[in-house]
Structure formats: structure tokens, C-alpha cells
Amino acid sequence: MTQTYRIAVIGGDGIGPEVTAAALAVVRAAGVAVEETSFDLGAARFLRDGFVLDDATLETLRGFDAIMLGAVGPAIGDTRIPGGTLERGLLLKMRFGLDLYVNYRPFRGVAGSLAEGCEFAIVRENTEGPYAGEGGFLRRGTPHEIATQGSVNSRFGVERCVRYAFQRAERSAAPKVTLVHKTNVLTFAGDLWSRVVNEVAGEFPGVDVDYQHVDAACIYLVEDPRRYNVIVTDNLFGDILSDLAGAVSGGIGYAASANLNPDRTGASLFEPVHGAAHDIVGRNMANPLAAVSSAVLMLEHLGEEDAARRVSHAVRDFDGDPVALGTSGILENLLERL
């Protein structure tokens, strides 16, 4: 009997609901049964009643098989939401609360991009580093104000992220893990990351290991992205590198991401990297390819490998003009290929 998966859907803001609906339509067309439950979260909800995400809703989300997120955020120029409200109160709260400790972003260079014909992935530690919130103010608002922002790196957190990167690399045709950090300056955190990578590498003798400083990696991602298979890095460097990787691969409009709890103690979350693009809402202009690619990662996580492969091939073989086709045309093109 075909399993029905319970999917929490956070359409969010702007084009988020449009691209999420298209992605789930492709999932169904691939023969996977899903039962959707929608959650009204994001900028619009906050502006309406001040709600971001409470503990009860977070616990409800934990019980789903997966979470699909469209996009959250106000329109450009709307300053009514204080900075960090949605980032820390919604996105980071889900990552920390559901222990989504791996951010996995695969990249495939589209035609005409700097990374054309190249495939690689970034595995980013997703719950520690500077984003953990360690720090504070001293004498705030005075001429002698001090602000500190620490980077939290536990051996437990680093090791489980690194091991996931090696497991991913081991499945590829040319297995290689590249640690990206700044060990010459961040000598304590960098030393921990380096030691863990070297130790875990002993469990994966078939995987080559490399290291690069983050500034050098930024250059190489532009000049020679083919040198990479799997990059593993900390939360902050991963945030920056994954956006750069999206740009050299054809634009973040094509980039997918998975916020994973490989231990499955909480529902993993899948989302396109792009923003809410309020200016094109309802105009049949949103490109759903990144959301569909995120759904591929969801299908892989759920164990629906055949469906994931067919949808991935449909996205890979897509050769239309997204601007000319529009959202509905892109969806029709993908459905024809399944």
C-alpha cells in the first residue's frame, strides 16, 4: 500500500505559496501521496497579529514527516518588522528547536553559468557558530559601548555535521570533502574543525580530503567550481558560500536547500533559497524550479528515491524559457516529463 506522507506547508509570504503549490503538484504527479496541513506563518502573519512561532506550534511541526517552506519576509522597503524578528523567531527557532543540524545545498550549473555542467554540494553546520546567539552588549548606547558575538562550536555539533558530509561524498563518483574555514585566524574553532575532519576521514578511506581558507574558496568557486565535490563548513561561512555557489550556478532562483535532522527526532524542512519577491505575486511570473528541486530533496529524505530521481531528471532536462512560460507553463513542462 502506498504511504501517505503528512507534510506541513508554510507557504509564507509573496510568491512562497505559489512556488510551494507547484512543487507539491509535481510531487503528487510523481505518484507520491501527501496530506498537507497549512501553517500561517511569516511576515504577513506578524504584521496582522504579532505572532511569529510559539512552542506549541513548534511541537506540532515536529510530528510531521516533513515541512515545505515557500519564502518569508516583507516587501522590499517595508520597515515595519524589526530586523531579526523572523530570522531568529521563526527560521532559527525551527532549526534549533527541531535540531535541523545540517543545511544541505546541492548545486548543478545551468547552461551559460560559471559552473555549467558542474555538480557539487555544500554541507553547512546549521545550529551553532555565530548564529547560536552567544554574546551581548556592555554600556549600550554610550560612547564606550561594546558588542560581543561569539561562535559556538561543540565537538558533538561539528562531528555530526562532518560525518554527514563524508557520507554524502562517499556516494558520489569522485568522493572528496573540502573543509572550508579560516584556521590561520580562528585558531580555536578552526583547530576543532580540522581535528574532527581528520579523525572522521579515517572512517572513509575512499574519500579524498582537502582544506581551503574561506577567502580562497570564494575565489575558486568563481574560477574553478569543478574542483569541489562536497564542501563542509560552519554556519556563517556556509551561509555566505552557499549564496555565492547559487550565483555561479545560474542564480539563487534555481537553488534548493534542505534543513535536515538526519536522526529524525524532528521534521526536516525543505525550502528554495530565493526570497518572497512581493513585486511579482499573482502575475504568473514566479519560477518554481528551486521549490521543485527542494521537493526532490524532501522525496530523497522520505525514501521515495524513484520519484525523486524522476522529478530531478525533469528539472535537469527543463529547457524552456522560464520568463516566457511563467509559473503555470513551467509546471506544465515538468509534469509532461514525469
Side-chain angles (χ1 to χ4, degrees):
M1 182 178 295
T2 302
Q3 181 175 350
T4 298
Y5 297 98
R6 297 178 61 245
I7 308 299
V9 180
I10 305 172
D13 304 303
I15 62 170
E18 298 176 36
V19 297
T20 302
L24 289 169
V26 173
V27 167
R28 288 195 179 89
V32 178
V34 295
E35 176 186 303
E36 301 175 32
T37 300
S38 295
F39 288 81
D40 181 14
L41 301 170
R45 175 70 186 274
F46 177 80
L47 290 172
R48 190 168 67 249
D49 61 17
F51 183 85
V52 182
L53 177 67
D54 60 13
D55 291 341
T57 304
L58 183 65
E59 283 306 305
T60 300
L61 290 169
R62 186 185 304 279
F64 283 83
D65 294 309
I67 304 168
M68 282 288 294
L69 172 65
V72 294
I76 294 175
D78 187 339
T79 60
R80 292 176 293 171
I81 301 179
T85 299
L86 298 178
E87 293 84 354
R88 299 207 70 88
L90 177 58
L91 301 178
L92 292 186
K93 184 167 183 173
M94 286 192 291
R95 291 179 190 176
F96 297 157
L98 300 175
D99 202 18
L100 307 179
Y101 62 85
V102 167
N103 183 279
Y104 174 68
R105 296 191 185 182
F107 299 93
R108 179 188 298 120
V110 302
S113 70
L114 292 172
E116 180 176 353
C118 175
E119 295 186 25
F120 61 95
I122 295 177
V123 172
R124 163 189 170 192
E125 200 291 316
N126 212 30
T127 60
E128 297 186 345
Y131 294 11
E134 192 277 328
F137 292 101
L138 180 64
R139 296 190 292 271
R140 183 175 182 179
T142 75
H144 305 289
E145 180 173 354
I146 298 171
T148 63
Q149 193 79 59
S151 179
V152 176
N153 299 266
S154 71
R155 182 179 182 93
F156 170 75
V158 172
E159 184 172 340
R160 62 183 184 172
C161 174
V162 167
R163 181 165 281 105
Y164 182 86
F166 274 90
Q167 291 168 346
R168 273 286 179 180
E170 191 177 40
R171 305 175 201 170
S172 60
K176 180 181 178 182
V177 168
T178 301
L179 169 62
V180 172
H181 211 281
K182 192 69 175 173
T183 57
N184 58 336
V185 177
L186 304 177
T187 53
F188 301 118
D191 182 72
L192 174 59
W193 276 86
S194 296
R195 283 187 285 112
V196 170
V197 166
N198 290 334
E199 291 170 18
V200 173
E203 303 173 22
F204 299 86
V207 179
D208 292 336
V209 181
D210 192 15
Y211 170 79
Q212 288 171 1
H213 291 327
V214 64
D215 42 354
C218 289
I219 296 171
Y220 293 138
L221 267 175
V222 175
E223 292 184 345
D224 184 21
R226 288 162 183 79
R227 69 170 57 211
Y228 297 113
N229 175 214
V230 175
I231 293 172
V232 65
T233 189
D234 80 348
N235 210 335
L236 177 59
F237 294 148
D239 193 357
I240 297 167
L241 286 173
S242 56
D243 281 353
L244 176 59
V248 302
S249 300
I252 61 172
Y254 291 93
S257 74
N259 295 275
L260 298 172
N261 179 331
D263 303 323
R264 300 177 188 270
T265 58
S268 293
L269 182 149
F270 304 86
E271 60 176 323
V273 177
H274 61 67
H278 288 262
D279 56 325
I280 60 172
V281 172
R283 299 170 61 186
N284 195 38
M285 295 173 63
N287 184 342
L289 289 174
V292 175
S293 294
S294 299
V296 169
L297 301 178
M298 181 182 74
L299 290 171
E300 291 177 350
H301 180 73
L302 295 174
E304 295 289 344
E305 297 290 344
D306 178 66
R309 184 166 47 252
R310 287 185 286 116
V311 176
S312 178
H313 288 172
V315 173
R316 182 197 63 192
D317 297 337
F318 175 81
D319 57 2
D321 179 356
V323 176
L325 288 173
T327 313
S328 59
I330 296 171
L331 177 56
E332 182 178 350
N333 186 296
L334 295 175
L335 295 179
E336 290 173 352
R337 297 174 185 274
L338 291 177

